[in-house]
Amino acid sequence: MKEKLKEIQEAALKKLESVSKSSELEEIRVKFLGKKGELTTILRGMGSVSPEERPLIGKLVNEAKSILEDKIEQIASDIKQKEKQSKLSSEVIDISLPGKKKVIGKRHPLDLTLESMKEIFISMGFTVEEGPEVELDHYNFEALNIPKDHPARSEQDTFYINDNIVLRTQTSPVQIRTMEKQEPPIKMISPGKVYRSDAVDATHSPIFYQMEGLVIDKGVTFADLKGTLELFAKKMFGDKVVTKFRPHHFPFTEPSAEMDATCFVCGGEGCKVCKGSGWIEVLGCGMVHPNVLRNCGIDPEVYSGFAFGFGVDRMVMLKYGIDDIRLLYESDMRFLNQF
């Protein structure tokens, strides 16, 4: 038994001399000191040793085990130190190398256009109001005089969360919320993101931006509407811009109209942007329908008002000559760097 212990110890020490990796060291530890290791096997076989020799054999086994454990611990420490030094040497930074140039972001054309539009209306005395993008059917449709059977309420056009909650299809609900909580006079705009169930193509997106405006006071007329929007068009596109109004229909305004402006690219002579007509459709507008005023607790016999709405994405495309709405949402720096 003594000779066997000596052989095991010498074999283990010899194997430890050539170890250079933690994985190899672990294999040797398991082979000689593990639960099924060679020294453990000897301890389990102590029952066959005579009572007189057991204390001596037990002492020799423990001494061999202690020698191997100390050696393994020393080698493990050496390997760990070498690995640390190797890692440090591989992470050395060459301070003579040129630094990486940081790319400075650009302001998005949507943001630039929204800011310009807001500044124009704020200069005319409008306040900026906001509302939820996840909206109640009541504010998105009912209060805006849009009946249950109106095509705009179909699932082909609207994202429904349930029967009473939708992703807002317009920023007009903000007008309703403002009229409910504020007494006239009211003069506000509501810029924000809206959602329509549209397939993505060059001119349509399921997510886009609108800006709508509302003025409510005593004695407000269609002339006030025209004057406000003509002033906006000149500030937005230049003093030479001419506007015209065409009859239209919206459930929440009566009478309703669409406003066109002379093409700011060709000055009204006809070009690719205006498709040769010399005119560009800019926005929809009209006098607030009496039913909408009543729905918000405002007496239409005392107060009147006008409302208007822009597609901000369309304004961006017109202003910068962009022919594909998808470019506004792809975060392509080659495109954004132009602005």
Side-chain angles (χ1 to χ4, degrees), residues 236-298:
M236 188 72 184
F237 301 118
D239 291 335
K240 294 182 179 181
V241 167
V242 178
T243 59
K244 69 175 181 179
F245 292 79
R246 295 179 285 104
H248 200 70
H249 170 73
F250 299 110
F252 32 83
T253 53
E254 180 59 38
S256 303
E258 286 189 337
M259 187 184 84
D260 297 336
T262 49
C263 178
F264 50 84
V265 176
C266 65
E269 296 180 4
C271 67
K272 182 176 69 174
V273 175
C274 62
K275 298 180 181 179
S277 68
W279 295 92
I280 293 175
E281 180 186 323
V282 176
L283 57 86
C285 58
M287 301 301 292
V288 179
H289 199 290
N291 289 345
V292 175
L293 294 175
R294 291 190 192 96
N295 291 338
C296 299
I298 297 175

Side-chain angles (χ1 to χ4, degrees), residues 28-296:
I28 294 172
R29 188 194 69 78
V30 171
K31 177 177 175 61
F32 292 98
L33 301 177
K35 289 181 179 180
K36 296 181 180 180
E38 295 188 21
L39 286 178
T40 307
T41 302
I42 289 179
L43 285 172
R44 287 175 179 172
M46 291 286 283
S48 62
V49 179
S50 65
E52 294 79 15
E53 290 186 321
R54 283 178 191 172
L56 179 60
I57 298 300
K59 181 182 178 183
L60 292 174
V61 170
N62 287 329
E63 286 177 354
K65 185 177 180 183
S66 178
I67 291 170
L68 292 180
E69 285 176 345
D70 290 345
K71 187 67 174 177
I72 288 172
E73 186 178 347
Q74 178 190 340
I75 294 172
S77 178
D78 292 342
I79 291 174
K80 188 175 181 181
Q81 186 65 27
K82 288 178 181 177
E83 289 176 347
K84 185 177 179 181
Q85 291 175 349
S86 176
K87 185 178 180 182
L88 287 172
S89 63
S90 67
E91 292 180 351
V92 171
I93 299 173
D94 186 349
I95 59 173
S96 66
L97 290 173
K100 293 182 180 180
K101 186 178 180 180
K102 291 185 177 180
V103 179
I104 300 175
K106 303 288 184 179
R107 291 194 61 186
H108 198 282
L110 268 170
D111 183 51
L112 291 169
T113 304
L114 265 172
E115 183 175 325
S116 297
M117 294 169 69
K118 284 194 286 187
E119 286 179 352
I120 292 170
F121 283 112
I122 289 171
S123 72
M124 292 193 282
F126 285 76
T127 61
V128 180
E129 305 290 342
E130 296 182 347
E133 293 178 16
V134 179
E135 187 59 275
L136 293 171
D137 176 275
H138 169 76
Y139 289 105
N140 199 77
F141 295 123
E142 291 289 337
L144 287 164
N145 201 40
I146 301 176
K148 291 285 187 185
D149 59 350
H150 195 280
R153 300 182 69 153
S154 71
E155 292 185 1
Q156 292 181 335
D157 293 316
T158 306
F159 290 110
Y160 281 89
I161 294 175
N162 58 40
D163 289 343
N164 297 314
I165 301 176
V166 301
L167 296 183
R168 68 180 183 187
T169 60
Q170 53 201 348
T171 51
S172 299
V174 183
Q175 298 178 6
I176 301 298
R177 290 179 176 274
T178 303
M179 285 189 280
E180 283 185 346
K181 68 182 181 182
Q182 291 184 22
E183 293 286 336
I186 297 170
K187 198 173 185 182
M188 53 79 71
I189 55 171
S190 54
K193 194 182 295 182
V194 298
Y195 304 84
R196 300 274 177 87
S197 184
D198 286 331
V200 177
D201 59 28
T203 56
H204 296 86
S205 172
I207 305 173
F208 56 99
Y209 286 82
Q210 278 190 347
M211 178 183 287
E212 301 197 24
L214 174 73
V215 174
I216 303 289
D217 204 351
K218 295 178 180 178
V220 175
T221 67
F222 202 94
D224 297 311
L225 166 64
K226 290 184 66 177
T228 299
L229 296 181
E230 285 174 354
L231 179 59
F232 166 80
K234 290 185 181 297
K235 287 189 174 184
M236 188 72 184
F237 301 118
D239 291 335
K240 294 182 179 181
V241 167
V242 178
T243 59
K244 69 175 181 179
F245 292 79
R246 295 179 285 104
H248 200 70
H249 170 73
F250 299 110
F252 32 83
T253 53
E254 180 59 38
S256 303
E258 286 189 337
M259 187 184 84
D260 297 336
T262 49
C263 178
F264 50 84
V265 176
C266 65
E269 296 180 4
C271 67
K272 182 176 69 174
V273 175
C274 62
K275 298 180 181 179
S277 68
W279 295 92
I280 293 175
E281 180 186 323
V282 176
L283 57 86
C285 58
M287 301 301 292
V288 179
H289 199 290
N291 289 345
V292 175
L293 294 175
R294 291 190 192 96
N295 291 338
C296 299

